[in-house]
Amino acid sequence: MSGRAALLLFANAARSNRVLVASVVTIMLLAVVAIVGPLLSPHSHITTNLDARLLAPTLSSWHLFGTDDLGRDLFVRTLAGAQVTLLVAIVASAVSLLIGVTYGAVAGFFGGAVDAVMMRLVDVLYALPFTFFVILLMVVFERSLLLVFIAIGAVNWLDMARIVRGQTLSLKEREFVQAARLIGVSRLAIVLRHITPNLLGTVIVYVTLTIPQAILMESFLSFLGLGVQEPDASLGTLVNAGAGHMEQASWMLLAPATLLALILFCFNFLGDGLRDLTDPRKQK
Amino acid sequence: MLRYALMRVVGAIPTLFLVVLVAFIMVRAAPGGPFDTDRVLPAEVAANIERAYHLDEPLPQQFRRYLTGVLRGDFGPSFRYSDYSVAELIRGALPVSVKLGVLAMALALCAGISAGLVAALRRNTLTDRVVSAIAMTGVSVPVIVIAPLLVLFFAVQLGWLPAGWSSSGGGSRWIMPIIALALPQIGFIARITRSSMIEVLESEFIRTARAQGLATATIVRYHAMKPALLPLLSYLGPAIAGIVTGAIVVEQIFGIPGLGRLFVQGAQNRDFTLVLGLVILYATVIILLNLVVDLLYGVLDPRVRRT
């Protein structure tokens, strides 16, 4: 599938698959709200106000989602958390695109011993239970958002590399690649100019399928206190704080939990929808 | 088959070795020693502590000592709970975690397979849509959201089930943790079962069976079931990993004194030896269970053995 075919696919999707389009629109809306919302609110996500602790959601002082046990505004904190979640989605996609596609395309195109060694390395890395190594990493080094991103990136490119390699293997036997070779185009140029653009459709589908896993990993780490650190907020840390205060202040749990579930729903529907669209067995 | 089995078993050994090596190096690469505190220790005291924990030896020697210890089930002393060895802490917490994991896995398989089969057999009906929607919810809503919501609803609001873990509590304290842990896997298993059953039902040998006039129940039971459930076997590996990581969250939320809570406490206290030991234990369990799944696959599907 070429880049233009991928665009056509999205155009067709808009007509045939409402759930897919609804999830794309919801994600975009959430992104806008997550960025603009905190700017419009009079509160900041780290300012504490001990006179306004555990307030239920109210319109009067613009605490739309209420306040937490330190009097911080939950509307702004939840949206700050959503920013982190969406940032994780972008970083995860970027890493699996950059490393996974390059790695897979090189292995697939050069084939032979290069391919064997490169894919063997992927197999070995694949067998390691990464979640536990990521937690170990968080224990050993200073916890920071950057480290969370590195950890997620390290896991994320493996699937992509495998898929891209398989696609490249079949693409390089096609006539247009042989024609390019015949007229003396360099190997690097063939990979970059002729093979990679043709991978685009498959790659887009698999990128969207890996995003929910990356989001889960970040929220999991933050929930355990090993990811984003106070006073900054992530949906994972907010759910954890909410779980601790659910008896007096259920809104502390409900707001971030609902938002996290909503974001994951959208990305799952998006990935499933795109996969079904490109699966020839499901096209009638 | 023997050759296939041997190759799989031998192939798992370097991975296990790599796990121990990488985990060990990561802990030793930590900036600052494990005993760095705000209080400055006299040089002799620091040297004594280092000698007691063999931190003064060269790294390869430390690794050899650690590896031989691990092979004998000795993970060294805990850095934080100074009266306990890591192995003792693990032994205390292991049974409750194993019970939780096994029960959740059993529930996930029973509920997931039944739901998937029902949806596949009543394809494109209301039942199918309801099952698919519930499965999508299970897949999308993470354990860190499900578990607190269950507590909020069934313990805080309705008061039907206990919110936490009391050592004297009966069977009811298990209900919510098991359901929270199983739900995401029920979703995945139902989806896999549904799509693979539909695929099998459309294949030619099932059409032949239909043409012979066999009853649907007979076809499903004797012809379609085995090939339809085979893809599930390859999902067992990820399912086990999902249950094990999910248990970390569930134990934390319900206050269950299992391995997961030990792990999180160790991680938060920077108890290096405890976390190192648990990472190795978790990794070993997952790699070994994956090996069992691989071997089972070889037994059930002869095509796999030849590759």
Side-chain angles (χ1 to χ4, degrees):
Chain A
M1 191 174 9
S2 74
R4 190 138 40 96
L7 272 181
L8 270 176
L9 195 78
F10 288 122
N12 279 332
R15 259 170 278 150
S16 63
N17 193 333
R18 298 227 175 96
V19 177
L20 193 152
V21 175
S23 20
V24 174
V25 171
T26 314
I27 292 169
M28 284 175 171
L29 276 179
L30 279 176
V32 172
V33 172
I35 294 164
V36 177
L39 301 176
L40 297 180
S41 170
H43 307 287
S44 114
H45 75 286
I46 51 173
T47 314
T48 56
N49 178 3
L50 295 183
D51 296 328
R53 285 189 291 180
L54 296 176
L55 288 181
T58 162
L59 271 176
S60 63
S61 52
W62 287 106
H63 290 303
L64 297 180
F65 291 175
T67 59
D68 69 4
D69 52 324
L70 294 174
R72 293 176 293 197
D73 180 61
L74 272 176
F75 178 70
V76 181
R77 279 183 77 71
T78 309
L79 291 183
Q83 284 179 9
V84 173
T85 305
L86 294 170
L87 194 62
V88 166
I90 294 169
V91 171
S93 321
V95 170
S96 63
L97 277 177
L98 211 67
I99 306 181
V101 174
T102 321
Y103 195 93
V106 168
F109 186 74
F110 287 97
V114 178
D115 180 35
V117 170
M118 284 175 88
M119 292 328 279
R120 184 73 202 132
L121 181 68
V122 170
D123 285 345
V124 170
L125 289 177
Y126 215 82
L128 299 177
F130 264 102
T131 314
F132 302 106
F133 278 98
V134 171
I135 293 177
L136 190 60
L137 206 68
M138 297 299 158
V139 176
V140 169
F141 294 97
E142 207 56 42
R143 289 159 202 167
S144 71
L145 198 56
L146 183 70
L147 199 60
V148 176
F149 286 150
I150 293 174
I152 289 167
V155 194
N156 232 280
W157 62 274
L158 293 172
D159 270 321
M160 184 59 83
R162 281 184 167 175
I163 288 150
V164 167
R165 170 186 170 266
Q167 290 280 314
T168 311
L169 276 181
S170 72
L171 276 174
K172 73 172 182 183
E173 304 302 331
R174 298 268 292 274
E175 285 89 350
F176 71 92
V177 174
Q178 288 171 353
R181 265 196 186 151
L182 202 65
I183 58 173
V185 180
S186 75
R187 287 174 157 208
L188 188 69
I190 290 181
V191 172
L192 289 180
R193 297 284 304 279
H194 300 279
I195 302 227
T196 316
N198 281 295
L199 293 168
L200 204 64
T202 322
V203 161
I204 289 173
V205 174
Y206 278 92
V207 157
T208 55
L209 285 174
T210 57
I211 288 176
Q213 280 143 27
I215 292 177
L216 276 181
M217 176 73 98
E218 186 278 326
S219 58
F220 172 76
L221 288 173
S222 296
F223 178 87
L224 296 179
L226 301 171
V228 172
Q229 298 291 305
E230 286 277 323
D232 285 322
S234 127
L235 292 178
T237 59
L238 292 174
V239 169
N240 190 19
H245 291 86
M246 64 170 86
E247 278 163 64
Q248 318 94 301
S250 56
W251 57 88
M252 270 185 73
L253 172 64
L254 290 175
T258 315
L259 195 60
L260 180 58
L262 180 66
I263 292 176
L264 282 165
F265 258 119
C266 287
F267 277 112
N268 272 317
F269 276 124
L270 176 63
D272 279 7
L274 286 179
R275 192 190 46 201
D276 289 351
L277 276 178
T278 48
D279 186 349
R281 282 179 302 178
K282 298 213 171 163
Q283 282 167 359
K284 284 172 197 148
Chain B
M1 181 62 207
L2 192 67
R3 201 179 114 83
Y4 170 80
L6 270 177
M7 278 189 41
R8 287 285 149 165
V9 173
V10 172
I13 293 170
T15 316
L16 283 172
F17 178 78
L18 198 71
V19 164
V20 182
L21 182 67
V22 172
F24 185 84
I25 289 174
M26 270 167 72
V27 168
R28 285 297 181 274
F35 297 107
D36 285 358
T37 47
D38 296 333
R39 196 159 48 99
V40 181
L41 293 171
E44 312 86 77
V45 178
N48 264 333
I49 291 180
E50 290 211 330
R51 199 168 318 122
Y53 287 91
H54 305 289
L55 293 175
D56 52 345
E57 294 172 357
L59 263 185
Q61 198 178 335
Q62 282 186 42
F63 179 66
R64 209 173 313 135
R65 182 188 295 279
Y66 189 72
L67 189 65
T68 48
V70 166
L71 288 176
R72 283 187 277 110
D74 173 16
F75 293 93
S78 160
F79 275 177
R80 286 286 175 272
Y81 307 94
S82 47
D83 291 339
Y84 294 94
S85 76
V86 171
E88 280 168 345
L89 289 170
I90 290 178
R91 218 172 300 136
L94 191 66
V96 70
S97 285
V98 170
K99 188 173 172 192
L100 179 66
V102 169
L103 287 174
M105 193 63 168
L107 175 66
L109 283 172
C110 292
I113 291 176
S114 328
L117 286 182
V118 168
L121 294 174
R122 299 187 201 287
R123 198 179 167 191
N124 295 333
T125 62
L126 185 65
T127 322
D128 182 18
R129 295 220 181 87
V130 170
V131 169
S132 298
I134 293 173
M136 189 62 171
T137 312
V139 168
S140 298
V141 184
V143 178
I144 67 164
V145 170
I146 288 177
L149 287 184
L150 282 177
V151 175
L152 179 63
F153 195 65
F154 290 105
V156 177
Q157 306 274 336
L158 296 174
W160 288 355
L161 293 165
W165 189 262
S166 55
S167 46
S168 56
S172 63
R173 62 183 179 170
W174 289 92
I175 296 175
M176 279 201 291
I178 290 171
I179 291 177
L181 195 50
L183 266 178
Q185 304 309 323
I186 292 177
F188 280 110
I189 291 172
R191 276 158 59 119
I192 294 168
T193 311
R194 177 183 177 274
S195 66
S196 110
M197 192 59 172
I198 285 175
E199 203 170 303
V200 170
L201 285 178
E202 282 171 356
S203 61
E204 297 191 347
F205 74 95
I206 296 295
R207 208 173 47 187
T208 312
R210 283 232 169 89
Q212 285 176 333
L214 292 181
T216 309
T218 319
I219 293 177
V220 171
R221 172 123 170 55
Y222 294 101
H223 299 273
M225 200 68 125
K226 194 179 161 191
L229 292 186
L230 204 55
L232 212 55
L233 202 55
S234 55
Y235 178 68
L236 275 185
I240 291 162
I243 294 260
V244 172
T245 41
I248 297 177
V249 171
V250 167
E251 288 180 10
Q252 188 72 6
I253 289 172
F254 292 95
I256 302 170
L259 288 181
R261 214 170 61 137
L262 204 58
F263 191 41
V264 174
Q265 281 170 355
Q268 283 162 353
N269 300 334
R270 296 172 67 102
D271 188 338
F272 288 172
T273 40
L274 180 59
V275 173
L276 181 61
L278 280 168
V279 166
I280 292 171
L281 178 75
Y282 277 130
T284 312
V285 167
I286 288 178
I287 289 170
L288 287 183
L289 288 175
N290 272 321
L291 181 68
V292 172
V293 170
D294 271 2
L295 293 179
L296 264 179
Y297 221 97
V299 172
L300 293 177
D301 189 348
R303 285 172 299 180
V304 179
R305 279 177 241 158
R306 271 177 247 131
T307 51

